[in-house]
Amino acid sequence: MKYRRVRGTKDILPQDSYKWLYIEDKIKNFANIHNYKYIKTPAFEVTDLFIRSIGDDTDIVSKEMYTFKDKGNNSLTLKPEMTAPVIRAYIEERLNQLASVIKLYYIDSLFRQERPQKGRLRQFHQYGFEIIGSSYPEADAEIIFLSYQLLRRFGIENMTVKVNSIGDRESRKKYLSILRESLEPQKKKLCKTCQIRFERNILRLFDCKEQSCQAILDEHAPRIIDYISKDDREHFDEVLRFIEKAGVECVIDHKLVRGLDYYTRTTFEITSNLLGAQDALCGGGRYDHLVEDLGGQPTPAVGVAGGIERLWIALEEIGKFPTDNKDFVYIASVGDDVKDFVINLIRELSENSISYEVDLLRRSLKAQMRDANKKGARFSIIVGNEELKKNMVVLKDMQEGIQELISVDSLIKILKEKLTT
Ligand code: HAM
């Protein structure tokens, strides 16, 4: 084989693509019901957008971005996430003029050069919801509720909703200096990366995958929630109260800071034991300063994104994909002199939105019927010269094995009736 797909990428093949479309359709329908408007942004952006929003010391920016120079020597990056591009578009296109609160959703391809494993790809897909313009806990609660509800709609029950509050920037400053003090004596025991994180952006210690670093945090790190301001705490309590009322059970995860720098106050993730090591189905939180940081008017916002490949794994695990059955008719014909009739018939079926298959290999009638069976046709229309002279065709019910001679004039009407019952 001369060419293979790039490591960490995936083909969605015809035998499976209905699952992809099923997921997409359901998300679109769900977003539509909840009045979120679709947004699509370019595949790449200027690199600085991601550095500025996600943060220099995050894994995404420091290790995982696909960054390249174009012929004009501009540094561009394939988007590793959607929040920054959406906010860039919000500012650039003045979407604040559309409404004081704008609710957006997306389904898009993202790129991160991570070590590929189950549920972790280098090109992957996210669906996501963003509410831009509300600072109130109702908005956080709506996002968490929607995240949960969407997964429930797919039939997923095994999930844990983890929430935390990392406070606003001011109260976090206080926490970070206390965190530094508490961990100073342990600094040498941290892994190399964490020692750098300790100096540059200490909150990022929580992203470390090393067991030993996590154990140090468990033992020595104070809980962020104990240091957030009264306003932050009230906001968080309201979020918790609202989601509980909405029927979302959650647990507070004091170490959940999420791996991107733009979060303020609420952070959350929904994990599932259906997934294996990469167990986050979706994650998000509030990001009240991002619009301003990227050059817009101060505008609060909150959102979530979920991994489509992970959702796929979960649905496969619990057998919740529908089958790919579709009723269609197979046109089988013999001889050159019925060809014009067949072409006309195809046009009529198409105009009446009746799904069909037709032999394109000039096979024998027997081989065509075998093909019809193999493909799972609901009916076959057998077009023969003799019958056609009497303006008739044979209609065969492939499930019942019954065939009848019917007039060409009533064919469409009969098919329509049969296909709806
Ligand atoms: P994130 O946690 O980086 O957040 O990604 C969200 C979800 O995307 C994850 O929970 C996971 O399901 C999926 N995901 C991430 N990386 C991969 C990968 N390499 N392969 C497969 N799936 C993956 C964000 O991206 C934020 N922009 C979410 C957000 C929206 N926050 C506010 N609004």
Side-chain angles (χ1 to χ4, degrees):
M1 211 174 308
K2 195 165 171 194
Y3 298 111
R4 305 183 134 263
R5 59 176 193 275
V6 174
R7 197 163 115 83
T9 65
K10 222 178 114 178
D11 296 309
I12 309 288
L13 298 170
Q15 57 272 33
D16 270 341
S17 53
Y18 74 95
K19 297 179 184 170
W20 184 268
L21 298 175
Y22 166 75
I23 291 177
E24 263 193 359
D25 283 353
K26 229 171 150 74
I27 293 169
K28 285 181 187 160
N29 183 265
F30 184 83
N32 195 28
I33 289 171
H34 295 87
N35 267 335
Y36 281 68
K37 294 261 186 263
Y38 184 70
I39 184 163
K40 193 158 172 65
T41 68
F44 49 82
E45 299 274 352
V46 297
T47 303
D48 195 49
L49 173 70
F50 299 114
I51 299 177
R52 188 93 184 88
S53 53
I54 303 170
D56 264 336
D57 304 302
T58 57
D59 283 350
I60 299 178
V61 170
S62 65
K63 301 191 244 174
E64 299 167 0
M65 294 205 303
Y66 282 96
T67 296
F68 58 97
K69 286 265 171 77
D70 71 1
K71 294 210 167 86
N73 212 29
N74 305 300
S75 179
L76 303 176
T77 294
L78 294 182
K79 56 186 175 186
E81 63 105 50
M82 278 299 287
T83 308
V86 164
I87 296 303
R88 194 263 313 132
Y90 175 84
I91 300 166
E92 188 176 356
E93 305 293 341
R94 295 192 169 78
L95 300 185
N96 61 331
Q97 291 177 356
L98 297 180
S100 34
V101 176
I102 183 158
K103 304 195 297 178
L104 304 171
Y105 86 98
Y106 45 80
I107 297 177
D108 222 320
S109 289
L110 289 316
F111 307 86
R112 296 184 192 174
Q113 196 156 356
E114 298 191 75
R115 198 167 44 77
Q117 65 180 87
K118 182 177 170 195
R120 189 161 74 188
L121 290 115
R122 290 183 169 176
Q123 177 178 357
F124 62 100
H125 298 80
Q126 279 183 350
Y127 63 88
F129 302 92
E130 313 283 350
I131 301 180
I132 308 166
S134 169
S135 62
Y136 292 106
E138 290 88 315
D140 312 46
E142 172 161 327
I143 287 289
I144 298 173
F145 169 70
L146 288 189
S147 310
Y148 174 80
Q149 188 73 353
L150 176 67
L151 295 168
R152 288 298 299 247
R153 284 267 177 108
F154 275 104
I156 296 178
E157 283 167 9
N158 302 40
M159 49 178 163
T160 308
V161 181
K162 298 175 180 170
V163 293
N164 193 19
S165 174
I166 59 169
D168 206 344
R169 281 184 179 162
E170 273 312 305
S171 54
R172 200 172 331 138
K173 258 192 213 149
K174 197 169 72 193
Y175 171 73
L176 294 181
S177 70
I178 289 164
L179 181 65
R180 189 166 287 112
E181 256 170 52
S182 326
L183 294 179
E184 184 74 52
Q186 317 300 324
K187 201 175 129 186
K188 294 238 154 57
K189 291 186 227 152
L190 293 168
C191 75
K192 283 237 149 46
T193 317
C194 279
Q195 291 189 19
I196 299 168
R197 286 171 169 151
F198 187 95
E199 301 303 336
R200 294 172 52 128
N201 187 344
I202 191 163
L203 195 67
R204 300 273 62 94
L205 290 186
F206 289 96
D207 303 339
C208 187
K209 312 266 177 335
E210 298 286 334
Q211 211 57 65
S212 53
C213 293
Q214 287 302 324
I216 292 171
L217 290 173
D218 284 338
E219 197 175 337
H220 301 281
R223 303 185 325 174
I224 200 162
I225 197 122
D226 297 329
Y227 294 88
I228 64 177
S229 69
K230 189 165 156 282
D231 281 355
D232 291 342
R233 182 74 221 201
E234 275 171 17
H235 182 97
F236 189 48
D237 287 342
E238 289 227 273
V239 173
L240 294 178
R241 196 160 62 78
F242 291 151
I243 59 174
E244 194 197 336
K245 271 267 168 289
V248 182
E249 255 183 63
C250 70
V251 293
I252 298 179
D253 178 345
H254 295 291
K255 289 202 297 175
L256 184 72
V257 302
R258 311 245 322 118
L260 304 102
D261 272 356
Y262 50 62
Y263 290 113
T264 51
R265 296 191 157 178
T266 315
T267 52
F268 76 99
E269 234 164 57
I270 302 183
T271 58
S272 172
N273 57 12
L274 297 167
L275 291 181
Q278 300 305 314
D279 66 351
L281 280 167
C282 65
R286 180 165 278 287
Y287 50 97
D288 285 344
H289 304 294
L290 186 59
V291 180
E292 196 180 349
D293 287 349
L294 296 180
Q297 294 299 317
T299 312
V302 55
V304 63
I308 295 189
E309 288 80 2
R310 297 199 188 165
L311 178 55
W312 182 314
I313 295 172
L315 296 182
E316 207 75 88
E317 199 63 38
I318 53 177
K320 289 281 183 187
F321 277 119
T323 49
D324 191 21
N325 286 342
K326 183 181 70 172
D327 281 344
F328 68 92
V329 295
Y330 192 100
I331 308 166
S333 65
V334 224
D336 283 347
D337 34 4
V338 301
K339 282 261 172 323
D340 288 358
F341 175 82
V342 168
I343 288 167
N344 207 32
L345 177 57
I346 287 173
R347 198 180 70 195
E348 268 194 81
L349 291 172
S350 166
E351 277 168 1
N352 285 281
S353 303
I354 297 173
S355 185
Y356 69 88
E357 270 277 342
V358 66
D359 171 60
L360 295 174
L361 289 175
R362 300 189 174 186
R363 281 173 280 202
S364 69
L365 184 59
K366 206 168 154 200
Q368 289 181 58
M369 293 313 286
R370 221 180 297 127
D371 192 38
N373 249 325
K374 194 169 151 205
K375 291 193 168 125
R378 180 68 189 83
F379 297 97
S380 287
I381 302 167
I382 304 163
V383 187
N385 206 4
E386 286 309 302
E387 292 83 0
L388 211 50
K389 278 185 193 148
K390 293 179 226 145
N391 205 30
M392 303 288 247
V393 289
V394 173
L395 184 64
K396 180 170 181 184
D397 185 321
M398 304 295 285
Q399 275 167 16
E400 311 290 332
I402 304 166
Q403 55 183 54
E404 54 188 325
L405 203 56
I406 59 169
S407 108
V408 167
D409 303 330
S410 55
L411 179 61
I412 296 290
K413 189 169 159 274
I414 290 176
L415 277 176
K416 276 187 164 175
E417 278 167 14
K418 286 188 185 281
L419 286 169
T420 49
T421 50

